[in-house]
């Protein structure tokens, strides 16, 4: 979801938001960077709110550090005016071969993805773009017999002189970037920060700060006041108090702020403990600032940067907002999007001075999509993707969120908020079958229900990947837009006067620049305008309008069947787009002076110039004026802020290596006097003769074209009269579509009889007529009553379309935690409905109406499993039911794989996954064993298998539980035959047995060492495994061994001899070890005789087996008597083996015998299940 732009600002305003929240602009030097632009990308200011777009079209991410001066971007030098505080950033033009700049405009420009909040006051300025090397003069005047002199644009070639002064910034000839701030509003102060950006080093190496107190006639260098060695990177201005200035030092040298409260006359330096990446000034409180750091932390200051306080860590870049006055009660409330430790994003609000965990609110339940939070005017927008589809939610005036409703089969894959003016949302939506176009939708007041305004509007990608929609809102006339629509692979320009209810093509001029007739017949031929912004993010396309001159629109474009990038001319409309006149054959930049009473045009050229053109009659005639005696390479123009705009400063240089030249031009001398009432005439706004625009007739004052008086303050409309409502004042309501006969009829997917869920028998609801009045339309009476939704009694209806879902849309819940269930009913008498909910765990609840369940039903499951949740709704007219199968789980903490340590070849082995906790819900087991390349997948925690060859084999089990996978791995030895003997110990060992795996592993190693020393048996023949539990016992394994060459393998007789030797030494108490100083531990065999050990191999007969087992039981009984009834385990012949690092030792003959040998203590203490070699570990963490 993206934000295409905020309303009411030109590109200068957009850049102002980028740099300081108050209008700082940048001009940079093309050609100085190896053919590219030296213009930096958006600096650390209160930047635009970028939002993600599905399908990978993401906005630019955060920079790795605060850019002292960001890397160059391709583009042209800027001719722009700064809004509000009047700050302009400059870049040098490097001679005739360098490209020129495009022209930003004041007024409400074409929407650009990422434009942000902009100040209300604007100055004027322009840019230029390369259209070839053009001579400095007026258009040619060829003689043609068909020319109509009255319709031709007139040019006076007599050169007139403007009052101007020039000042050189001496010593800064090498500086290639500059930022300019003009306070305006009865202030004569101008600040200029010039910088030398080294493109090889990628950093600023020099800077200078200049200040003028006489409107730019002279400047003083202030390097000594900020520190001769201090290198400055950015200039910030408080948008609510232009006297407050903030300078940011280059963070590569030091991280500091220099603050001035007297328009830059004096400064105080403050050290920073973090790097500023962006700033956001409060819209009302001049000292309140939010600062975003390089390490994604958000700080606040209530003292204009003198002290900072941490608000939140893990904040998403450009996803923080101040409260909107009127919608939030607390002026210091901050809206932000923050990431959790597991990578999710959530919407948080808190107060700037008290943003602790306990004081943070989460207005949207659950997580949201990353980079999707927008807070704009009365609206808050978030995006949440589920089932592969994005869903968009809106909160109006900070009420509960509701899902935004587009036509059912729009199936959006991308959405951008264009504006939220006048309590209505204008959005651009890319639907499932669109690639380079978007559909425009307009909402109701709450921003929930959207209807189509225009299809297939052209779009493009900006230099940073941001989406740019070819849509322009004309300043000064609400409801008036220009848009470029794609029709059969041709792009055509359309205009609307009623917020997209009706669109039509632009009528081409009747004559061209010379007065020759233009043969252009609608709809085959029309006028098409460029609404795109420049590739340079600091400039915009050539289109301009202004609030104080609502009838005048200046734009570049062409006449023909479609929009073209060739044969571009300049056009002007002085009647709000009804008719157009060609004014130049080449691209010019146009500045509005004196509330639009005078137009200033300067040609786009890379050559030095000294002339410009002025028009006092809305572009019908132009006079040539010189503004400097020496031709100047123009880098930028800055107009005086405020309402009159009668002083402008031209920035440039005389040669490639000269200093910056600042030419102050004063236009006051061109006016005879201030205008009086008799100097004006009335002008009525209309659309092709229709005077009722947005339900009202509006008459404005215009200065008479022959008068050269100065207008001064803008008076606005002279009068406004409401119109009688007609069908043209109404758009189709949600779910309805306009047909060829003009009627709004239900779409095929929409059921007009659907009632609001709150509608109950005996109450009323608004029954739509299929129409809704265009928002902000002021018409009265007429057909208003006919088309307005009518209150209607709610009829009784049987329940239909019942659903039960979890609040987060998932089918899982966690044991012991609240799960919120939502009951949804498409149709039915909700106030007189009886609801029964059975949670499937023996608990059921009942409700008497759905309104009591609006916040959901909370329930806690105390057991794991799959529960069948049923809901039934009944009223007097019928019933409906729904079922939800809910999987309740608990987090799986540990997995322990239990299996024998040793087994014989071709014998079935049982492996069991022991879990902690033992009940976690539905699980999937993935088994890997032997040399198998494919796993065995089961729903059971035990499997059986055989090994057909000798050797060491690894077995791994992976257990999938919810959003995590845990595993354990064990090694099992396979031999044709082996011997085993149970060992016991002197009782004192139990006093030091903590019964943990690490202790058992270490004691096993000590016992083995003692056996080797006492018997001389080679170490590879012996394996000792201490078993869990008390009294302490161990398993002794006698293993066959062969050297690495495969020779000298021990036979069964050898194993018998070794076993007899071991038993002999054990019976003689020859095996002992020292546990700690003074603590000797004896190792015993668990029987009193040296009887042969039993080997359960196929070679033993049944009778022999029975006889040997009898001997074992007799020996065991005698041993118990002699050992005072001490419980000692008996002999095991076929036992388990585990490598020396094993943590759990069990020796069953079968799975049935194995599990009882693991005590409850082992199962309940997960630390006992941890093995150093093979520790249960989290392999996969799945995003929900």
């Amino acid at each position: 979801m993206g934000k295409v732009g905020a309303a009411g600002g030109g590109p200068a305003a957009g850049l102002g938001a980028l740099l300081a929240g108050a209008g700082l602009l940048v001009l940079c030097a093309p050609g100085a960077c190896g053919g590219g632009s030296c213009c930096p990308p958006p600096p650390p200011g209160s930047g635009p709110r970028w939002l993600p777009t599905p399908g990978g079209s993401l906005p630019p991410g955060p920079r790795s550090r605060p850019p002292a001066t960001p890397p160059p971007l391709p583009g042209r030098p800027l001719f722009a005016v700064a809004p509000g505080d009047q700050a302009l950033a400059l870049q040098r033009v490097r001679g005739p071969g360098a490209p020129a700049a495009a022209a930003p405009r004041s007024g409400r420009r074409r929407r650009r993805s990422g434009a942000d909040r902009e100040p209300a006051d604007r100055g004027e300025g322009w840019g230029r773009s390369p259209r070839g090397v053009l001579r400095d003069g007026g258009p040619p005047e060829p003689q043609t017999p068909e020319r109509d002199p009255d319709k031709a644009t007139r040019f006076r070639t007599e050169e007139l002189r403007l009052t101007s002064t020039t000042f050189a910034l001496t010593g800064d000839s090498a500086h290639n970037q500059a930022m300019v701030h003009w306070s305006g509003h009865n202030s004569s102060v101008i600040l200029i920060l010039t910088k030398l950006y080294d493109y090889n080093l990628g950093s600023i190496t020099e800077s200078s700060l200049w200040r003028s107190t006489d409107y730019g006639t002279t400047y003083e260098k202030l390097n000594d006041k900020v520190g001769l060695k201090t290198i400055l990177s950015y200039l910030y201005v408080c948008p609510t108090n232009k006297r407050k200035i903030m300078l940011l030092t280059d963070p590569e040298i030091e991280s500091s702020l220099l603050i001035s409260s007297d328009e830059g006359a004096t400064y105080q330096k403050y050290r920073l403990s973090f790097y500023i990446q962006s700033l956001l000034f409060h819209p009302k409180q001049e000292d309140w600032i939010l600062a975003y750091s390089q390490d994604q932390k958000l700080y606040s200051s209530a003292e204009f940067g003198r002290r900072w306080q941490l608000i939140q860590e893990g904040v998403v870049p450009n996803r923080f907002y101040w409260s909107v006055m009127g919608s939030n009660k607390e002026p210091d409330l901050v809206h932000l999007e923050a990431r959790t430790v597991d990578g999710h994003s959530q919407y948080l609000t808190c107060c700037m001075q008290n943003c602790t965990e306990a004081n943070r609110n989460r207005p949207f339940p659950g997580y949201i999509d990353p980079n999707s939070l927008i807070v704009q005017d009365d609206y808050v927008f978030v995006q949440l993707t589920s089932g592969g589809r994005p869903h968009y939610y809106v909160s109006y005036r900070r009420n509960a969120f509701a899902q935004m409703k587009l036509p059912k089969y729009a199936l959006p894959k991308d959405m951008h908020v264009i504006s939220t003016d006048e309590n209505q949302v204008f959005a651009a939506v890319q639907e499932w079958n669109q690639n380079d176009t978007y559909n425009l939708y307009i909402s109701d007041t709450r921003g929930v229900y959207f209807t189509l305004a225009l299809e297939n509007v052209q779009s493009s990608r900006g230099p940073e990947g941001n989406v740019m929609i070819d849509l322009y809102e004309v300043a000064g006339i609400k409801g008036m837009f220009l848009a470029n629509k794609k029709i059969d692979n041709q792009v055509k320009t359309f205009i609307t006067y009623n917020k997209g209810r009706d669109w039509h093509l632009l009528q081409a001029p009747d004559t061209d620049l010379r007065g020759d007739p233009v043969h252009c017949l609608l709809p085959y031929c029309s006028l098409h305008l460029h609404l795109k912004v420049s590739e340079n993010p600091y400039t915009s396309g050539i289109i301009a309008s202004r609030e104080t001159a609502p009838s005048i629109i200046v734009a570049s474009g062409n006449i023909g069947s479609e929009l073209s990038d060739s044969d571009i001319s300049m056009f002007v409309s002085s009647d709000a787009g009804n008719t157009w006149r060609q004014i130049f054959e080449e691209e010019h930049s146009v500045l509005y002076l004196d509330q639009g009473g005078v137009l200033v045009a300067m040609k786009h050229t890379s050559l030095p110039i000294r002339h410009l053109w002025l028009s006092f009659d809305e572009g019908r005639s132009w006079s040539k004026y010189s503004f400097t005696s020496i031709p100047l390479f123009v880098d930028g123009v800055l107009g005086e802020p405020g309402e009159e705009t009668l002083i402008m400063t031209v920035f440039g240089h005389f040669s490639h290596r000269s200093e910056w030249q600042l030419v102050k031009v004063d236009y006051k001398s061109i006016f005879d006097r201030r205008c009086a009432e008799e100097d004006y005439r009335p002008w009525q706004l209309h659309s092709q003769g229709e005077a009722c625009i947005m339900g009202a007739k509006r008459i404005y004052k215009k200065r008479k074209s022959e008068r050269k008086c100065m207008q001064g303050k803008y008076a606005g409309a002279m009068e406004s009269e409401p119109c009688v409502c007609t069908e043209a004042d109404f758009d189709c309501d949600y779910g309805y579509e306009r047909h060829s006969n003009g009627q709004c009829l239900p779409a095929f997917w929409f059921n007009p009889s659907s009632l609001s869920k709150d509608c109950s028998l005996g109450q009323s609801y608004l029954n739509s007529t299929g129409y809704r009045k265009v928002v902000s339309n002021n018409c009265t009476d007429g057909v208003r009553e006919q088309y307005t939704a009518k209150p209607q009694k709610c009829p009784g209806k049987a329940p239909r379309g019942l659903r039960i879902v979890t609040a987060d849309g998932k089918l899982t819940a966690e044991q012991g935690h609240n799960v919120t269930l939502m009951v949804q009913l498409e149709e039915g008498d909700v106030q007189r409905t009886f609801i029964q909910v059975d949670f499937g765990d023996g608990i059921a609840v009942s409700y008497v109406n759905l309104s009591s369940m609006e916040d959901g039903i909370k329930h806690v499951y105390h057991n794991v499993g799959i529960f069948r949740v049923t809901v039934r709704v009944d009223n007097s007219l019928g019933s409906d039911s729904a079922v939800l199968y809910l999987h309740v789980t608990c987090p799986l903490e540990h997995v322990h794989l239990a299996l024998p340590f040793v087994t014989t070849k071709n014998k079935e082995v049982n492996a069991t996954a022991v879990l902690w906790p033992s009940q976690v819900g539905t699980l999937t087991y993935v088994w890997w064993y032997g040399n198998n390349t494919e796993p065995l997948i089961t729903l059971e925690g035990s499997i059986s298998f055989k090994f057909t060859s000798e050797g060491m084999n690894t077995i791994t089990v992976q257990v999938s539980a919810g959003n995590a996978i845990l595993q354990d791995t064990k090694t099992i030895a396979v031999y044709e035959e082996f011997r085993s003997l149970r060992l016991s110990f002197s009782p004192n060992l139990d006093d030091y047995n903590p019964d943990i795996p690490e202790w058992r592993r270490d004691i096993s190693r000590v016992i083995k060492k003692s056996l080797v020393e006492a018997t001389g048996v080679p170490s590879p023949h012996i394996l000792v495994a201490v078993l869990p539990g008390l009294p302490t016992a161990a398993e002794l394994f006698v293993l066959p061994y062969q050297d690495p060459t495969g020779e000298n393998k021990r036979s069964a007789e050898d194993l018998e001899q070794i076993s007899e030797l071991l038993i002999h030494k054990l019976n003689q108490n020859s095996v002992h070890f020292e546990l700690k100083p003074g603590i000797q531990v004896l190792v015993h065999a668990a029987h009193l005789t040296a009887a042969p050990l039993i080997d359960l191999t196929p070679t033993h007969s049944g009778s022999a087996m029975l006889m040997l087992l009898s001997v074992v039981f007799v020996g065991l009984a005698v041993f118990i008597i002699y050992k005072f009834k001490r419980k000692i385990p008996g002999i095991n012949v076929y036992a388990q083996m585990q490598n020396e690092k094993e943590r759990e030792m069990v020796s069953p003959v079968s799975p049935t015998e194995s599990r009882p040998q693991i005590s409850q203590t082992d199962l309940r203490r997960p630390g006992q299940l941890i093995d150093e070699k093979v520790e249960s570990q989290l392999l996969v963490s799945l995003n929900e």
Side-chain angles (χ1 to χ4, degrees), residues 611-748:
H611 299 102
L612 49 77
W613 295 87
L614 295 181
S615 174
F616 291 85
D617 53 7
E618 300 175 339
R620 293 178 179 85
S621 62
W622 297 83
S623 299
K624 185 177 182 180
Y625 285 80
S626 64
F627 64 90
T628 178
S629 58
I630 303 174
L632 185 73
F633 289 100
V634 178
D635 298 318
V637 175
L638 182 64
E640 177 189 10
E643 296 177 341
E644 297 183 356
T645 312
L646 296 176
I647 298 176
M648 78 177 188
T649 300
V650 181
F651 302 87
H653 54 286
F654 294 136
S655 66
H656 300 172
R657 298 184 180 277
S658 67
E659 292 85 359
W660 293 93
Q661 303 293 326
L662 310 181
V663 181
K664 172 189 172 183
V665 183
D666 192 339
Y667 289 94
K668 293 178 182 177
S669 61
I670 65 176
F671 297 101
D672 302 330
R673 54 184 171 80
R674 283 194 173 269
C675 294
E677 190 66 30
E678 60 271 15
D679 295 313
Y680 293 92
R681 62 179 177 88
W683 174 78
Q684 186 172 50
L685 174 66
H686 66 94
S687 170
Q688 302 301 318
E690 174 56 54
C692 287
I693 304 294
M694 294 291 288
K697 296 178 181 179
R698 293 180 177 84
I699 298 177
Y700 297 83
K701 287 197 307 182
K702 276 193 175 187
R703 194 187 60 191
K704 297 177 181 178
S705 59
E706 67 274 12
R707 306 295 173 87
K708 289 190 176 182
C709 56
M710 184 170 60
Q711 295 190 109
K713 187 175 182 179
Y714 174 61
M718 290 178 57
E719 59 182 77
S720 178
E721 176 186 348
C723 296
V724 175
C725 291
T726 66
E727 189 270 342
D729 296 305
F730 291 82
D731 206 349
C732 291
D733 203 352
Y734 175 77
Y736 291 80
E737 297 173 338
R738 191 176 300 279
H739 287 244
S740 57
N741 60 1
Q743 286 187 312
C744 293
L745 300 176
F748 74 93

Side-chain angles (χ1 to χ4, degrees), residues 192-211:
I192 300 179
L193 171 63
T194 65
K195 300 175 288 184
L196 172 59
Y197 184 81
D198 190 314
Y199 294 92
N200 295 320
L201 298 176
S203 61
I204 299 173
T205 57
E206 294 180 17
S207 68
S208 295
L209 183 65
W210 300 81
R211 184 173 186 262

Side-chain angles (χ1 to χ4, degrees), residues 318-438:
N318 295 321
R319 292 283 179 250
F320 49 92
Y321 308 82
W322 284 110
S323 62
V324 177
M325 306 307 293
S327 295
N328 295 107
K329 297 179 181 179
E330 306 92 343
D332 63 339
L333 190 69
V334 178
H335 303 257
L336 58 92
E337 178 183 334
R339 291 192 180 98
T340 61
V341 292
D342 53 358
H344 294 98
S345 288
Q346 55 185 345
Y347 168 31
L348 304 177
T349 60
C350 63
C351 294
M352 61 178 289
Q353 298 294 335
N354 189 21
C355 197
T356 62
E357 180 65 31
N359 293 301
R360 294 186 192 121
N361 294 317
R362 293 166 174 80
F364 186 81
Y367 299 126
I368 63 176
D369 285 356
N371 302 298
S372 69
L373 175 66
I374 299 176
V375 180
Q376 185 169 311
D377 298 328
D378 287 335
Y379 301 90
V380 179
F381 304 93
V382 297
Q383 175 179 317
L384 180 62
T385 299
S386 63
R389 294 181 182 177
H391 302 279
Y392 306 98
Y393 294 84
V394 61
S395 168
Y396 177 60
R397 292 185 175 174
R398 308 306 182 258
N399 292 315
F401 278 87
Q403 186 170 349
M404 299 164 67
K405 301 291 186 180
L406 294 167
K408 185 173 183 179
Y409 295 105
L411 303 179
K413 58 184 181 181
D414 190 17
M415 176 186 286
H416 295 270
V417 175
I418 293 175
S419 75
T420 52
D421 295 347
E422 300 170 336
N423 294 323
Q424 190 173 40
V425 180
F426 212 170
V429 177
Q430 189 171 64
E431 301 186 9
W432 64 274
N433 57 349
Q434 294 178 306
N435 293 316
D436 59 349
T437 60
Y438 281 72

Side-chain angles (χ1 to χ4, degrees), residues 166-179:
T166 302
F167 185 88
L169 301 184
T170 306
D172 291 349
S173 60
H175 291 193
N176 51 15
Q177 295 179 354
M179 302 177 69

